[in-house]
Amino acid sequence: MMFFTPFISVTVTSLFLLSYQFVIGEKVLLVPVPFADSHWLAQSNLGRALVNRGHAVTAVMSEDSLAERQSAEFLFETFEDRGTRARLKALEDRLVSNAAEMSLAGVIQAAIMLSQEMMKHCDFLLGDSNLLQRLRDSRYGAVVTDPFFPCGAILAAHLQIPHVAHLRTNAYRIDLAATGVPQPPAYVPDFLLPFTDQMTFLQRTQNAVVSAMMSLLSHWILSSNFDGLARKFLGEDETLLSAMSRADLWLYQTDNVLDFPTPSMPNMIQVGGLNVREVVPLAADLETFVQSSGEDGVVVVSFGSIVKTMPTDRAEVWAAALARLRQKVVWRYTGEKPAGLGTNTKLMGWLPQNDLLGHPKTRAFVTHAGYNGVSEALHHGVPMVCVPFFGDQPSNAARVVARGLGVKVEFSTVTADELYQAILHVLTNNSYQETAARLSHLHRDQPQSPMERAVWWIEHVIKHGGLPHLRARAVELPWYQYHLLDVAAFLLAVCAAVLGTVWYSCAFFCRKCCRKSSDKVKRQ
Amino acid sequence: MMFFTPFISVTVTSLFLLSYQFVIGEKVLLVPVPFADSHWLAQSNLGRALVNRGHAVTAVMSEDSLAERQSAEFLFETFEDRGTRARLKALEDRLVSNAAEMSLAGVIQAAIMLSQEMMKHCDFLLGDSNLLQRLRDSRYGAVVTDPFFPCGAILAAHLQIPHVAHLRTNAYRIDLAATGVPQPPAYVPDFLLPFTDQMTFLQRTQNAVVSAMMSLLSHWILSSNFDGLARKFLGEDETLLSAMSRADLWLYQTDNVLDFPTPSMPNMIQVGGLNVREVVPLAADLETFVQSSGEDGVVVVSFGSIVKTMPTDRAEVWAAALARLRQKVVWRYTGEKPAGLGTNTKLMGWLPQNDLLGHPKTRAFVTHAGYNGVSEALHHGVPMVCVPFFGDQPSNAARVVARGLGVKVEFSTVTADELYQAILHVLTNNSYQETAARLSHLHRDQPQSPMERAVWWIEHVIKHGGLPHLRARAVELPWYQYHLLDVAAFLLAVCAAVLGTVWYSCAFFCRKCCRKSSDKVKRQ
């Protein structure tokens, strides 16, 4: 077998006049989630790639958001949010700090409160008529939204311009109805459950029940908050779902190597790993620290941008476990320095996570299993110890374990020894390093990188002014027609009519025969 | 908006170390359908592209097949078919000549006979132990099969090498079970029905019933013929479905521009239009004839490689209709010259169809709506008059009409005037030319051409020795688990138990209360 690597250009057959024309200098509007910084991280990465291609990218956000997210690369359109963003951030902080102990009811309550506050935030955005006029006048080629903040879909429908939704997982599952994609619960695990695609009978039961219940619940939470806004800003017959169904493209941060095979629709494009940036050298002092690890290498520990600290007793457990490692450890942690911190461990308030994971000395990644981190580790071939908290993190961790990329521990119950053993297991068992290297190779072997694919599709949407031919008719069908309940009722009615007719005919002739024979008997 | 066209290379972000390594000099085995020349046309085009990439491509076929399909580009491995291919060809001819009048029962009977004869043909292939030894020794990197001849899947499983299935539409629907893809009948029209994705209530009913019945019927026809071969050559627990489920990749000749949006799985790749070759200049005499058409242009008429002639009365209808056109007409027809043939019409036994459709003088294409022709017309932006006969042709025609690419007429009932009016309508109504040009542009706007994509994926399979991570667990589930019938039964039983307990408890306490009060009454 011979390999050579001509990077991209493919000229198998020059037969196709591939009109791969680039659209340069288009205007693109981003509608980010007002809180949840990891979402903005992914969306702004995509925005930056569009800027690098020569597009003018504008983000619409409240003045309060802008104070934190200001950047010279983007243009900004702002509105006054009257404290709604601050309340969303406070809700998020409360959610995150209680995440590990939160019950399902707590999660649902949090979702309701977040949804209500987002609705108010959205109302201030859409209600700013000067802002809307400026957005209309700007004639954007496309709007890129994050459906986690459903306001974007209503804005896109209001502006009547092509709409690209960019998301990690099912956004409250409304994307399922908005794309018409079937997700058979028999082999598609719900993203809130830590199951794989191989489920036991009880897991399948739980999966089916949770999927159905959460779909209904999400639909109710969203509809009760956003259908009113859809009516107010789009028209009497409109709902959030009707606005979302008009999206031309759904860019999913999913990946065939990490995620399990599930059905997809032609307007759903996989761009998992688009957040992975080119590795740049570490700062001098960090590089010195990393190099000092020698052959043993480095373990990177981070719980992402929202879990930067932890209760003191937990921090001591972690410090003790990490101190026992032969490896050097870089730990993203902003809390008070734990008493038991080892000399091998360096605390940092912020990590160049992607550059560290791409560093040849890195041997393992201890992570909360947020998608950004997991996809960076997959890309760079680094095995993981997952410590999931909430949201899609437990299901990401289940994928990491199922694919043989690492192990999982429970944040709130793990002891220092168990944690040490778990990290040691991943460091010393060759299968994790080998699997990580193999899957990294498989993941990178794509005709376009995920970011190139995302940009290509956004430009494709802009060039053709929308992609209505990719939209399944499923989204136009009422639920009972989608599930063929009317057809089933009709067929049952026909069967019942046929059977009934046969039954009564038989009964009628039987009675006639009986009467004749009894008449005969009487006459005898 | 500014456009420029740098053909392919995309360097939005050089962040991704895209390991697009080419696998050169691999051995690939083709298992073609022994009859159905249009299938061999598509498969040999794919084989030729692989040869052009430096691979050694071998086709396994009977000596009888080789006599017709010999080609210097491929290597061949042969076996003795004892007349089975001749009988398959005879069956096909009978099917084709009666196609327009054939009832559903006739089609089913023909399918049964074809399947039986293919089974015998397959038995001679798999039973040739010298052949199998040579195939094993050759260590192919991948087998490319056409599931219309299910033997390929058994051979691939027997050789235990990566398996790429290449097909137009659902191969007897067994591909649906083998990939686990859901095809909701509410918006996915069965490929045997001339429906679009917008169905009336009765069409949805018919679609649901036909899909279900034909799935059961196809499964029965295939299983009864091929499960025995799977057991004989693979092992006691094997079936045709278990062999097919092991396919690593399904290359579908479908296209988002022509076909309706339907769910898909990660191992199902769209390569519709891969048969379209680069246009080469016409032979001198044909070019002279085409140029003589002046501004009016040319109409191309062809019913494909299997309908080359027609009954005399029909031929006269066609000749009369074509004679009335101002355009020049090139008609693929091998029957006796019709008496009413116009001076504008040139009969040819074989057409350079793709080159004619790509010719700037061509104004319309009268076609039987076979996929090869329809996709060539779509690519070149030529509007169509469809005259479908059988198989996927009626549904292809329905797509052409639904997308605004042309009109449809009935072969056996159309009059000369109706035919003339239909062709005239397509020629003179600008919307068809405009839609054809717009959809051609949309269809060509792909990051890779369909053939490049097909070749890329085959090399991807070879490089990684199979793609088991793309295979949905759905294929491992029994049908009742896939449809969650066990879960539904369990939940119903739980509900019944709960309701029953509540009912009996209530009844028990009611009785107790009643007895007490009646005791009281008695005592009073």
Side-chain angles (χ1 to χ4, degrees), chain B residues 122-240:
Chain B
C122 182
D123 201 7
F124 293 131
L125 190 166
L126 296 169
D128 185 335
S129 52
N130 288 330
L131 170 69
L132 283 200
Q133 193 55 51
R134 287 199 304 277
L135 295 181
R136 269 192 295 270
D137 292 346
S138 297
R139 302 185 178 281
Y140 294 101
V143 186
V144 179
T145 72
D146 182 331
F148 191 58
F149 180 46
C151 195
I154 302 176
L155 180 62
H158 179 82
L159 296 175
Q160 293 184 311
I161 39 184
H163 173 196
V164 179
H166 169 224
L167 64 166
R168 158 63 183 146
T169 41
N170 311 143
Y172 323 97
R173 292 167 179 78
I174 196 170
D175 57 319
L176 303 182
T179 58
V181 68
Q183 296 281 282
Y187 65 95
V188 181
D190 192 278
F191 80 97
L192 280 187
L193 294 173
F195 297 159
T196 71
D197 54 351
Q198 272 184 310
M199 288 176 268
T200 64
F201 171 74
L202 285 181
Q203 285 178 335
R204 271 192 304 119
T205 306
Q206 196 179 339
N207 194 48
V209 172
V210 168
S211 295
M213 301 292 283
M214 293 306 284
S215 285
L216 290 174
L217 190 70
S218 305
H219 187 81
W220 171 73
I221 294 177
L222 282 192
S223 299
S224 58
N225 285 305
F226 286 92
D227 279 1
L229 289 183
R231 274 195 297 278
K232 185 167 159 189
F233 293 101
L234 299 177
E236 257 319 299
D237 298 332
E238 299 280 350
T239 60
L240 178 60

Side-chain angles (χ1 to χ4, degrees), chain B residues 33 44 56 83 102 110 122 130 175 266 331 337 343 349 374 377 409 449 501:
Chain B
V33 181
S44 58
M102 205 174 258
C122 182
N130 288 330
D175 57 319
W331 181 7
K337 187 176 160 181
T343 50
V374 168
V409 298
S449 77
T501 312

Side-chain angles (χ1 to χ4, degrees), chain A residues 393-409:
Chain A
Q393 295 163 13
S395 62
N396 293 341
R399 284 156 168 71
V400 167
V401 174
R403 295 302 198 191
L405 285 167
V407 298
K408 191 184 91 165
V409 298

Side-chain angles (χ1 to χ4, degrees), chain B residues 34 60-67 77-87 117-132 134 149:
Chain B
V60 58
M61 54 178 67
S62 73
E63 278 153 27
D64 186 29
S65 281
L66 184 60
E77 287 286 0
T78 59
F79 62 98
E80 178 51 61
D81 71 14
R82 305 196 203 169
T84 48
R85 176 176 183 262
R87 284 199 290 279
E117 208 59 47
M118 279 201 283
M119 182 265 280
K120 288 178 202 154
H121 192 79
C122 182
D123 201 7
F124 293 131
L125 190 166
L126 296 169
D128 185 335
S129 52
N130 288 330
L131 170 69
L132 283 200
R134 287 199 304 277
F149 180 46

Side-chain angles (χ1 to χ4, degrees), chain B residues 285-293 328-330 344-346:
Chain B
D285 59 333
L286 187 54
E287 179 66 29
T288 309
F289 178 77
V290 166
Q291 288 298 347
S292 74
S293 67
K328 296 278 178 177
V329 178
V330 186
N344 65 338
T345 307
K346 182 181 175 73

